[in-house]
Amino acid sequence: MCSTALAAPPPAIFGKSAILFDANTGEVLYKKNDTLKTPIASTQKLLTALHVAKSGDLGGRLTVAKSDTLQEPTKLYLKEGDAYIRKKLLTALLVKSANDVAYALGRDNGGTVEGFAEKMNREAARLGAKDSHFVNPNGLPAEDQYSTARDLACIARAAYRNPVIRDIVCLKTYDFEYASGKKATLTNTNRVLRTYSFCNGMKTGYTDLSGHCLVASGSYGGRDMIAVVLKSNKAHVWDDAASLLEFGLGIDRRKFTN
């Protein structure tokens, strides 16, 4: 990625670390402490989803293990022994950010969670994310697990260019059917996506350790922008990301309210 500058001044960002870049060219339009190593919570599920999507066989089924069901706090309460089509779980993962779903997909793909973490780290390095290390597929706090806004930008750009993921992250809701036949409508955790029509993804994240994190993508007038905001708070994270997208796309976001 290379840096450039716009004529208008960038917005003030509350989050401790952030980056805004052109998803097509990789141009960096804004950065703030973008190489700071920090936990990134559920935003790392973009990497989990990317690797699962690239692995294929999304129409095949996986069987839920007991270890999957123990993941907290955000979960779909999957039951041990139930079987699901991978694509359906992948969709639920990116819309609702369920930790049990992430664990199931990772364990299934890697044989073990540890094996999947090795795949995550190899994929991250291949994408140019050199200052990251991942231990689990869901972003729950773990020793020696961290990334940076710049590294997450590399991951987000690859995820944005993946057609399977691109078709999922734009969904505001998803009707999920459990193995029992019970149905539930899942609402996307991305408030920027639900609020502004120019936003078309991508992924939220929060833990006490990481603070509020958000990767948000937007498109207008042939431009595609991705904003990464890390270590923000509940009061500011949505405005941080929306302001960056507004700046990068050169629009007045008030005209694009859903």
Side-chain angles (χ1 to χ4, degrees), residues 184-207:
T185 298
L186 309 180
T187 299
N188 200 307
T189 54
N190 185 349
R191 190 183 299 175
V192 179
L193 173 69
R194 303 198 313 265
T195 304
Y196 299 108
S197 61
F198 61 81
C199 183
N200 56 10
M202 297 188 67
K203 190 70 196 71
T204 60
Y206 170 77
T207 66

PDB file of all heavy atoms in Angstrom, residues 184-207:
ATOM      1  N   ALA A 184     -34.414 -18.565  13.012  1.00  0.00           N
ATOM      2  CA  ALA A 184     -34.147 -17.316  13.713  1.00  0.00           C
ATOM      3  C   ALA A 184     -33.616 -16.297  12.708  1.00  0.00           C
ATOM      4  O   ALA A 184     -32.808 -16.639  11.839  1.00  0.00           O
ATOM      5  CB  ALA A 184     -33.133 -17.529  14.827  1.00  0.00           C
ATOM      6  N   THR A 185     -34.072 -15.069  12.825  1.00  0.00           N
ATOM      7  CA  THR A 185     -33.565 -13.999  11.970  1.00  0.00           C
ATOM      8  C   THR A 185     -32.401 -13.324  12.681  1.00  0.00           C
ATOM      9  O   THR A 185     -32.565 -12.763  13.773  1.00  0.00           O
ATOM     10  CB  THR A 185     -34.661 -12.958  11.661  1.00  0.00           C
ATOM     11  OG1 THR A 185     -35.724 -13.602  10.948  1.00  0.00           O
ATOM     12  CG2 THR A 185     -34.102 -11.826  10.807  1.00  0.00           C
ATOM     13  N   LEU A 186     -31.227 -13.394  12.067  1.00  0.00           N
ATOM     14  CA  LEU A 186     -30.027 -12.796  12.634  1.00  0.00           C
ATOM     15  C   LEU A 186     -29.853 -11.392  12.074  1.00  0.00           C
ATOM     16  O   LEU A 186     -29.970 -11.174  10.871  1.00  0.00           O
ATOM     17  CB  LEU A 186     -28.798 -13.649  12.294  1.00  0.00           C
ATOM     18  CG  LEU A 186     -28.897 -15.146  12.605  1.00  0.00           C
ATOM     19  CD1 LEU A 186     -27.602 -15.854  12.218  1.00  0.00           C
ATOM     20  CD2 LEU A 186     -29.229 -15.376  14.071  1.00  0.00           C
ATOM     21  N   THR A 187     -29.563 -10.437  12.936  1.00  0.00           N
ATOM     22  CA  THR A 187     -29.358  -9.050  12.516  1.00  0.00           C
ATOM     23  C   THR A 187     -27.879  -8.730  12.507  1.00  0.00           C
ATOM     24  O   THR A 187     -27.154  -9.045  13.460  1.00  0.00           O
ATOM     25  CB  THR A 187     -30.076  -8.088  13.474  1.00  0.00           C
ATOM     26  OG1 THR A 187     -31.484  -8.373  13.447  1.00  0.00           O
ATOM     27  CG2 THR A 187     -29.866  -6.639  13.051  1.00  0.00           C
ATOM     28  N   ASN A 188     -27.406  -8.123  11.438  1.00  0.00           N
ATOM     29  CA  ASN A 188     -25.990  -7.795  11.301  1.00  0.00           C
ATOM     30  C   ASN A 188     -25.554  -6.864  12.426  1.00  0.00           C
ATOM     31  O   ASN A 188     -26.245  -5.892  12.749  1.00  0.00           O
ATOM     32  CB  ASN A 188     -25.731  -7.141   9.946  1.00  0.00           C
ATOM     33  CG  ASN A 188     -24.270  -7.213   9.542  1.00  0.00           C
ATOM     34  OD1 ASN A 188     -23.378  -6.813  10.280  1.00  0.00           O
ATOM     35  ND2 ASN A 188     -24.018  -7.733   8.350  1.00  0.00           N
ATOM     36  N   THR A 189     -24.404  -7.148  12.990  1.00  0.00           N
ATOM     37  CA  THR A 189     -23.882  -6.346  14.098  1.00  0.00           C
ATOM     38  C   THR A 189     -23.270  -5.026  13.644  1.00  0.00           C
ATOM     39  O   THR A 189     -22.917  -4.193  14.477  1.00  0.00           O
ATOM     40  CB  THR A 189     -22.822  -7.153  14.871  1.00  0.00           C
ATOM     41  OG1 THR A 189     -21.816  -7.607  13.959  1.00  0.00           O
ATOM     42  CG2 THR A 189     -23.442  -8.359  15.566  1.00  0.00           C
ATOM     43  N   ASN A 190     -23.157  -4.817  12.327  1.00  0.00           N
ATOM     44  CA  ASN A 190     -22.524  -3.611  11.777  1.00  0.00           C
ATOM     45  C   ASN A 190     -23.545  -2.481  11.656  1.00  0.00           C
ATOM     46  O   ASN A 190     -24.335  -2.428  10.722  1.00  0.00           O
ATOM     47  CB  ASN A 190     -21.911  -3.933  10.413  1.00  0.00           C
ATOM     48  CG  ASN A 190     -21.124  -2.780   9.827  1.00  0.00           C
ATOM     49  OD1 ASN A 190     -21.176  -1.640  10.315  1.00  0.00           O
ATOM     50  ND2 ASN A 190     -20.384  -3.061   8.772  1.00  0.00           N
ATOM     51  N   ARG A 191     -23.509  -1.553  12.596  1.00  0.00           N
ATOM     52  CA  ARG A 191     -24.484  -0.464  12.612  1.00  0.00           C
ATOM     53  C   ARG A 191     -24.289   0.504  11.442  1.00  0.00           C
ATOM     54  O   ARG A 191     -25.253   1.117  10.973  1.00  0.00           O
ATOM     55  CB  ARG A 191     -24.395   0.302  13.934  1.00  0.00           C
ATOM     56  CG  ARG A 191     -25.525   1.302  14.139  1.00  0.00           C
ATOM     57  CD  ARG A 191     -25.356   2.072  15.428  1.00  0.00           C
ATOM     58  NE  ARG A 191     -25.371   1.205  16.591  1.00  0.00           N
ATOM     59  CZ  ARG A 191     -25.150   1.637  17.843  1.00  0.00           C
ATOM     60  NH1 ARG A 191     -24.888   2.907  18.062  1.00  0.00           N
ATOM     61  NH2 ARG A 191     -25.171   0.781  18.847  1.00  0.00           N
ATOM     62  N   VAL A 192     -23.076   0.659  10.967  1.00  0.00           N
ATOM     63  CA  VAL A 192     -22.837   1.539   9.821  1.00  0.00           C
ATOM     64  C   VAL A 192     -23.529   0.980   8.576  1.00  0.00           C
ATOM     65  O   VAL A 192     -24.139   1.705   7.795  1.00  0.00           O
ATOM     66  CB  VAL A 192     -21.324   1.731   9.563  1.00  0.00           C
ATOM     67  CG1 VAL A 192     -21.084   2.637   8.360  1.00  0.00           C
ATOM     68  CG2 VAL A 192     -20.640   2.319  10.799  1.00  0.00           C
ATOM     69  N   LEU A 193     -23.452  -0.336   8.410  1.00  0.00           N
ATOM     70  CA  LEU A 193     -24.139  -0.993   7.294  1.00  0.00           C
ATOM     71  C   LEU A 193     -25.642  -0.780   7.386  1.00  0.00           C
ATOM     72  O   LEU A 193     -26.311  -0.532   6.373  1.00  0.00           O
ATOM     73  CB  LEU A 193     -23.810  -2.492   7.301  1.00  0.00           C
ATOM     74  CG  LEU A 193     -24.580  -3.362   6.305  1.00  0.00           C
ATOM     75  CD1 LEU A 193     -24.142  -3.054   4.881  1.00  0.00           C
ATOM     76  CD2 LEU A 193     -24.367  -4.843   6.619  1.00  0.00           C
ATOM     77  N   ARG A 194     -26.184  -0.880   8.582  1.00  0.00           N
ATOM     78  CA  ARG A 194     -27.628  -0.740   8.761  1.00  0.00           C
ATOM     79  C   ARG A 194     -28.096   0.708   8.624  1.00  0.00           C
ATOM     80  O   ARG A 194     -29.275   0.953   8.393  1.00  0.00           O
ATOM     81  CB  ARG A 194     -28.049  -1.288  10.134  1.00  0.00           C
ATOM     82  CG  ARG A 194     -27.668  -2.750  10.378  1.00  0.00           C
ATOM     83  CD  ARG A 194     -28.469  -3.364  11.520  1.00  0.00           C
ATOM     84  NE  ARG A 194     -28.532  -2.539  12.692  1.00  0.00           N
ATOM     85  CZ  ARG A 194     -27.723  -2.633  13.742  1.00  0.00           C
ATOM     86  NH1 ARG A 194     -26.748  -3.545  13.734  1.00  0.00           N
ATOM     87  NH2 ARG A 194     -27.864  -1.852  14.791  1.00  0.00           N
ATOM     88  N   THR A 195     -27.176   1.655   8.760  1.00  0.00           N
ATOM     89  CA  THR A 195     -27.550   3.071   8.781  1.00  0.00           C
ATOM     90  C   THR A 195     -27.368   3.775   7.442  1.00  0.00           C
ATOM     91  O   THR A 195     -28.202   4.590   7.048  1.00  0.00           O
ATOM     92  CB  THR A 195     -26.737   3.821   9.853  1.00  0.00           C
ATOM     93  OG1 THR A 195     -26.931   3.194  11.119  1.00  0.00           O
ATOM     94  CG2 THR A 195     -27.161   5.281   9.944  1.00  0.00           C
ATOM     95  N   TYR A 196     -26.275   3.456   6.724  1.00  0.00           N
ATOM     96  CA  TYR A 196     -25.929   4.206   5.517  1.00  0.00           C
ATOM     97  C   TYR A 196     -25.919   3.312   4.279  1.00  0.00           C
ATOM     98  O   TYR A 196     -25.295   2.243   4.279  1.00  0.00           O
ATOM     99  CB  TYR A 196     -24.554   4.861   5.685  1.00  0.00           C
ATOM    100  CG  TYR A 196     -24.496   5.839   6.831  1.00  0.00           C
ATOM    101  CD1 TYR A 196     -23.802   5.520   8.001  1.00  0.00           C
ATOM    102  CD2 TYR A 196     -25.135   7.073   6.757  1.00  0.00           C
ATOM    103  CE1 TYR A 196     -23.751   6.405   9.060  1.00  0.00           C
ATOM    104  CE2 TYR A 196     -25.083   7.967   7.813  1.00  0.00           C
ATOM    105  CZ  TYR A 196     -24.395   7.627   8.962  1.00  0.00           C
ATOM    106  OH  TYR A 196     -24.350   8.513  10.019  1.00  0.00           O
ATOM    107  N   SER A 197     -26.560   3.780   3.225  1.00  0.00           N
ATOM    108  CA  SER A 197     -26.680   2.978   2.008  1.00  0.00           C
ATOM    109  C   SER A 197     -25.365   2.807   1.269  1.00  0.00           C
ATOM    110  O   SER A 197     -25.211   1.870   0.485  1.00  0.00           O
ATOM    111  CB  SER A 197     -27.723   3.592   1.077  1.00  0.00           C
ATOM    112  OG  SER A 197     -27.351   4.909   0.698  1.00  0.00           O
ATOM    113  N   PHE A 198     -24.383   3.679   1.497  1.00  0.00           N
ATOM    114  CA  PHE A 198     -23.100   3.539   0.809  1.00  0.00           C
ATOM    115  C   PHE A 198     -22.236   2.452   1.437  1.00  0.00           C
ATOM    116  O   PHE A 198     -21.260   1.996   0.844  1.00  0.00           O
ATOM    117  CB  PHE A 198     -22.330   4.864   0.770  1.00  0.00           C
ATOM    118  CG  PHE A 198     -21.983   5.421   2.139  1.00  0.00           C
ATOM    119  CD1 PHE A 198     -20.888   4.957   2.844  1.00  0.00           C
ATOM    120  CD2 PHE A 198     -22.755   6.427   2.698  1.00  0.00           C
ATOM    121  CE1 PHE A 198     -20.560   5.474   4.095  1.00  0.00           C
ATOM    122  CE2 PHE A 198     -22.448   6.954   3.947  1.00  0.00           C
ATOM    123  CZ  PHE A 198     -21.349   6.472   4.653  1.00  0.00           C
ATOM    124  N   CYS A 199     -22.569   2.022   2.648  1.00  0.00           N
ATOM    125  CA  CYS A 199     -21.788   0.983   3.327  1.00  0.00           C
ATOM    126  C   CYS A 199     -22.241  -0.395   2.847  1.00  0.00           C
ATOM    127  O   CYS A 199     -23.441  -0.678   2.786  1.00  0.00           O
ATOM    128  CB  CYS A 199     -21.953   1.089   4.838  1.00  0.00           C
ATOM    129  SG  CYS A 199     -20.965  -0.110   5.766  1.00  0.00           S
ATOM    130  N   ASN A 200     -21.286  -1.255   2.515  1.00  0.00           N
ATOM    131  CA  ASN A 200     -21.613  -2.598   2.018  1.00  0.00           C
ATOM    132  C   ASN A 200     -20.893  -3.712   2.775  1.00  0.00           C
ATOM    133  O   ASN A 200     -20.704  -4.794   2.260  1.00  0.00           O
ATOM    134  CB  ASN A 200     -21.327  -2.695   0.516  1.00  0.00           C
ATOM    135  CG  ASN A 200     -19.904  -2.329   0.160  1.00  0.00           C
ATOM    136  OD1 ASN A 200     -19.053  -2.166   1.033  1.00  0.00           O
ATOM    137  ND2 ASN A 200     -19.632  -2.184  -1.128  1.00  0.00           N
ATOM    138  N   GLY A 201     -20.510  -3.507   3.993  1.00  0.00           N
ATOM    139  CA  GLY A 201     -19.838  -4.501   4.846  1.00  0.00           C
ATOM    140  C   GLY A 201     -19.012  -3.743   5.890  1.00  0.00           C
ATOM    141  O   GLY A 201     -19.086  -2.537   5.940  1.00  0.00           O
ATOM    142  N   MET A 202     -18.163  -4.382   6.796  1.00  0.00           N
ATOM    143  CA  MET A 202     -17.689  -5.730   6.701  1.00  0.00           C
ATOM    144  C   MET A 202     -17.804  -6.448   8.048  1.00  0.00           C
ATOM    145  O   MET A 202     -18.534  -7.385   8.144  1.00  0.00           O
ATOM    146  CB  MET A 202     -16.243  -5.772   6.219  1.00  0.00           C
ATOM    147  CG  MET A 202     -16.062  -5.201   4.817  1.00  0.00           C
ATOM    148  SD  MET A 202     -14.394  -5.461   4.151  1.00  0.00           S
ATOM    149  CE  MET A 202     -14.394  -7.249   3.975  1.00  0.00           C
ATOM    150  N   LYS A 203     -17.066  -6.033   9.145  1.00  0.00           N
ATOM    151  CA  LYS A 203     -17.044  -6.852  10.363  1.00  0.00           C
ATOM    152  C   LYS A 203     -16.790  -6.022  11.614  1.00  0.00           C
ATOM    153  O   LYS A 203     -15.920  -5.157  11.634  1.00  0.00           O
ATOM    154  CB  LYS A 203     -15.961  -7.928  10.227  1.00  0.00           C
ATOM    155  CG  LYS A 203     -16.000  -8.972  11.318  1.00  0.00           C
ATOM    156  CD  LYS A 203     -17.222  -9.853  11.178  1.00  0.00           C
ATOM    157  CE  LYS A 203     -17.515 -10.641  12.439  1.00  0.00           C
ATOM    158  NZ  LYS A 203     -18.010  -9.795  13.552  1.00  0.00           N
ATOM    159  N   THR A 204     -17.565  -6.357  12.648  1.00  0.00           N
ATOM    160  CA  THR A 204     -17.431  -5.712  13.951  1.00  0.00           C
ATOM    161  C   THR A 204     -16.557  -6.552  14.885  1.00  0.00           C
ATOM    162  O   THR A 204     -16.276  -7.718  14.612  1.00  0.00           O
ATOM    163  CB  THR A 204     -18.805  -5.547  14.607  1.00  0.00           C
ATOM    164  OG1 THR A 204     -19.391  -6.854  14.766  1.00  0.00           O
ATOM    165  CG2 THR A 204     -19.724  -4.692  13.746  1.00  0.00           C
ATOM    166  N   GLY A 205     -16.193  -5.961  16.021  1.00  0.00           N
ATOM    167  CA  GLY A 205     -15.463  -6.708  17.034  1.00  0.00           C
ATOM    168  C   GLY A 205     -15.447  -5.975  18.365  1.00  0.00           C
ATOM    169  O   GLY A 205     -15.396  -4.738  18.394  1.00  0.00           O
ATOM    170  N   TYR A 206     -15.515  -6.735  19.439  1.00  0.00           N
ATOM    171  CA  TYR A 206     -15.402  -6.125  20.767  1.00  0.00           C
ATOM    172  C   TYR A 206     -14.994  -7.164  21.809  1.00  0.00           C
ATOM    173  O   TYR A 206     -15.545  -8.262  21.871  1.00  0.00           O
ATOM    174  CB  TYR A 206     -16.719  -5.495  21.232  1.00  0.00           C
ATOM    175  CG  TYR A 206     -16.653  -5.085  22.686  1.00  0.00           C
ATOM    176  CD1 TYR A 206     -15.973  -3.936  23.067  1.00  0.00           C
ATOM    177  CD2 TYR A 206     -17.210  -5.894  23.682  1.00  0.00           C
ATOM    178  CE1 TYR A 206     -15.863  -3.581  24.405  1.00  0.00           C
ATOM    179  CE2 TYR A 206     -17.107  -5.555  25.016  1.00  0.00           C
ATOM    180  CZ  TYR A 206     -16.435  -4.390  25.375  1.00  0.00           C
ATOM    181  OH  TYR A 206     -16.315  -4.060  26.701  1.00  0.00           O
ATOM    182  N   THR A 207     -14.020  -6.788  22.627  1.00  0.00           N
ATOM    183  CA  THR A 207     -13.745  -7.441  23.904  1.00  0.00           C
ATOM    184  C   THR A 207     -13.282  -6.331  24.843  1.00  0.00           C
ATOM    185  O   THR A 207     -12.943  -5.231  24.407  1.00  0.00           O
ATOM    186  CB  THR A 207     -12.643  -8.526  23.821  1.00  0.00           C
ATOM    187  OG1 THR A 207     -11.393  -7.897  23.506  1.00  0.00           O
ATOM    188  CG2 THR A 207     -12.962  -9.596  22.787  1.00  0.00           C
TER     189      THR A 207
END
